[in-house]
Amino acid sequence: MSKSNYKKVFISLLCLTVVLGLSGLAIKLLKNKHTVSAYSIDENYPDADIQTDVNDYTKGGFSVSRPIFHQESIDEQLESYIHKEIKEYQKKWKAVDGEASSELNITYEILHFSKQTITISFDKYQQIAGKKQSEYNIFTYDIPSQEILSLDDIFYSDTDYLSVLSDIAFEELSDKKDKTLTEDMIKKMTDPKMDNFDSFSVLKNTLVFYMKPKKDGDSSTIQSIAIKKELFKDSLLDTYQNKNMNQDRVKERQPKHIVAKLPPKNDWIDPSQKVIALTFDDGPHPDNTTAILKSLNKHQAHATFFVLGSRVEHYPEVLQKMIAQGNEIGNHSWDHPQLTRLNKKKIKSQINKTQLAVLKASGYEPSLIRPPYGAINDKVRKHIGDMDVALWEIDPEDWKLRNKKKVVRKVMNKAEDGKIILMHDIYKTSAQAADEIIKQLDQQGYQLVTVSELEKVKQDRKRYGIKVKE
């Protein structure tokens, strides 16, 4: 072989070695999950850049994006969030078998960017071994402090803003009639708890809350509720009421629907104001109960009716009216025996038959029970399931007096914030007394609520340190 041929073979072998070496390096890089980063300018907000990290690999690969605001602490926190998501995703992938096909995609949208705050929404999609997951995460940062914001950072702590938020959100979501949201889901989503309202943005004139359904395995659907700041003028910190500081840098978004007024009084309870609960036993009665319902409705008041199952099936329309007006129905046994004197079988029968009768008549299932004569012991408690026992503090003995003026006087002499009043709606004199009592309590500034509403107010006061205004 000539020297020139040897030279050609040598060069060919050298080239082949280089190619194989580069191929090996490429394979090694893939096996090491080599990540490529790209940078660009956010087309909606020129003050922000975009960093996209891509690991183009079918097993453990990902594509994630995050904004860079050139705010050192905020950028570090967002980078930490992205790295945490990647780490958790790879941990889950490896836990399967490390060979399953997978992907992680995270994109984002800047919802608001003002001098005061930044709100970013991250859309995450993850698939591991055929199991898919989608979710949104929304963060709001205060630019001057460069800290993530929570509700107690923007509201005064000694105000009832959380209860107001809860009532507004409940009414809004109920009115939307979204078929994907059940009544139970709406109640859980709008409970006056901090974590139900931890996703929000502070716009120029409104606060926008992003509500996530409390449904296992699904947080992908978000309901947004925009509320005028004016409704929180006494509870929202001045910093976040400032229109200039909270106006978007590029273009202020205008929500399609903005809540501009508080819910009606009969739907909204102010925990800083006096509350009292009227309750009526032994009904329903076609005339007397109906008269009481009329009085309650006239004053936008609510009450709790502890009914007897033996009477429920005769007057289903009365129960339906109770529910329609926002009142509460409780279980008072089937035919008023002293439950502590009954055996297990009879106790359960008294309670369960009444539950079924109320459910059939009104579609409502009581969560409260008032044992006849207030007689309760461990044996009875064992058979009432998860229902709460509701007794009373004020008893005017209307069943014995049968006198309107005396009953009114006894109730009003003992009326105090947080008390439960016992009356009976099977007597005409009690219905007449109730009309006057409702009128006088309303004039004295009491909110007439159900027993369950009363308990909720007490919990809110304790949890958030709300004091009753004199």
Side-chain angles (χ1 to χ4, degrees), residues 231-467:
L231 299 186
F232 300 100
K233 61 183 179 181
D234 296 325
S235 54
L236 185 66
L237 295 181
D238 293 344
T239 300
Y240 303 101
Q241 293 200 50
N242 187 302
K243 293 183 179 181
N244 180 53
M245 289 295 291
N246 291 283
Q247 182 171 351
D248 195 276
R249 297 187 183 206
V250 177
K251 185 178 180 181
E252 183 73 18
R253 299 191 182 201
Q254 292 300 324
K256 292 181 180 179
H257 171 66
I258 301 174
V259 179
K261 62 180 181 179
L262 294 172
K265 182 182 176 183
N266 63 328
D267 289 330
W268 178 57
I269 303 163
D270 184 350
S272 68
Q273 301 293 334
K274 295 186 295 184
V275 290
I276 199 164
L278 267 174
T279 67
F280 299 91
D281 289 7
D282 298 351
H285 187 281
D287 299 323
N288 300 329
T289 307
T290 301
I292 292 170
L293 288 172
K294 185 177 180 180
S295 299
L296 289 166
N297 200 46
K298 180 181 178 182
H299 294 276
Q300 296 183 316
H302 294 155
T304 303
F305 294 84
F306 290 95
V307 298
L308 295 176
S310 57
R311 299 181 64 86
V312 164
E313 56 186 7
H314 298 295
Y315 310 110
E317 69 284 353
V318 179
L319 268 75
Q320 292 161 13
K321 193 169 185 179
M322 290 176 186
I323 298 299
Q325 290 185 193
N327 298 293
E328 183 173 34
I329 299 174
N331 188 320
H332 196 44
S333 81
W334 182 259
D335 54 9
H336 212 276
Q338 185 168 325
L339 298 180
T340 53
R341 295 179 179 177
L342 303 182
N343 60 33
K344 169 186 173 182
K345 184 177 180 181
K346 289 183 178 179
I347 292 172
K348 294 181 74 172
S349 176
Q350 286 283 330
I351 296 169
N352 294 339
K353 281 175 67 179
T354 304
Q355 288 289 95
L356 289 173
V358 173
L359 185 61
K360 183 179 178 181
S362 64
Y364 178 90
E365 189 169 6
S367 60
L368 298 178
I369 183 169
R370 173 172 285 169
Y373 313 105
I376 185 76
N377 59 16
D378 290 340
K379 180 178 68 172
V380 175
R381 289 182 187 278
K382 188 177 179 181
H383 302 298
I384 62 176
D386 57 358
M387 287 193 291
D388 294 321
V389 176
L391 299 178
W392 60 88
E393 288 93 14
I394 301 173
D395 179 5
E397 297 185 315
D398 58 319
W399 58 273
K400 182 169 68 176
L401 293 176
R402 309 285 182 91
N403 182 292
K404 172 187 171 181
K405 289 184 178 180
K406 290 182 179 180
V407 172
V408 171
R409 184 161 53 260
K410 289 191 76 171
V411 168
M412 296 310 299
N413 283 343
K414 296 182 179 180
E416 290 181 16
D417 172 65
K419 300 295 184 182
I420 298 176
I421 302 166
L422 167 65
M423 294 183 70
H424 300 78
D425 54 333
I426 56 173
Y427 306 113
K428 185 175 182 179
T429 49
S430 294
Q432 292 170 341
D435 181 63
E436 183 62 27
I437 289 167
I438 293 166
K439 177 183 176 182
Q440 290 192 28
L441 288 172
D442 186 46
Q443 289 174 344
Q444 291 185 19
Y446 282 96
Q447 299 171 103
L448 278 77
V449 299
T450 67
V451 171
S452 291
E453 289 170 339
L454 181 68
E455 289 306 309
K456 178 177 175 292
V457 168
K458 289 180 178 179
Q459 290 171 9
D460 287 347
R461 287 173 176 175
K462 184 176 181 180
R463 186 182 295 126
Y464 307 112
I466 299 170
K467 295 182 179 180

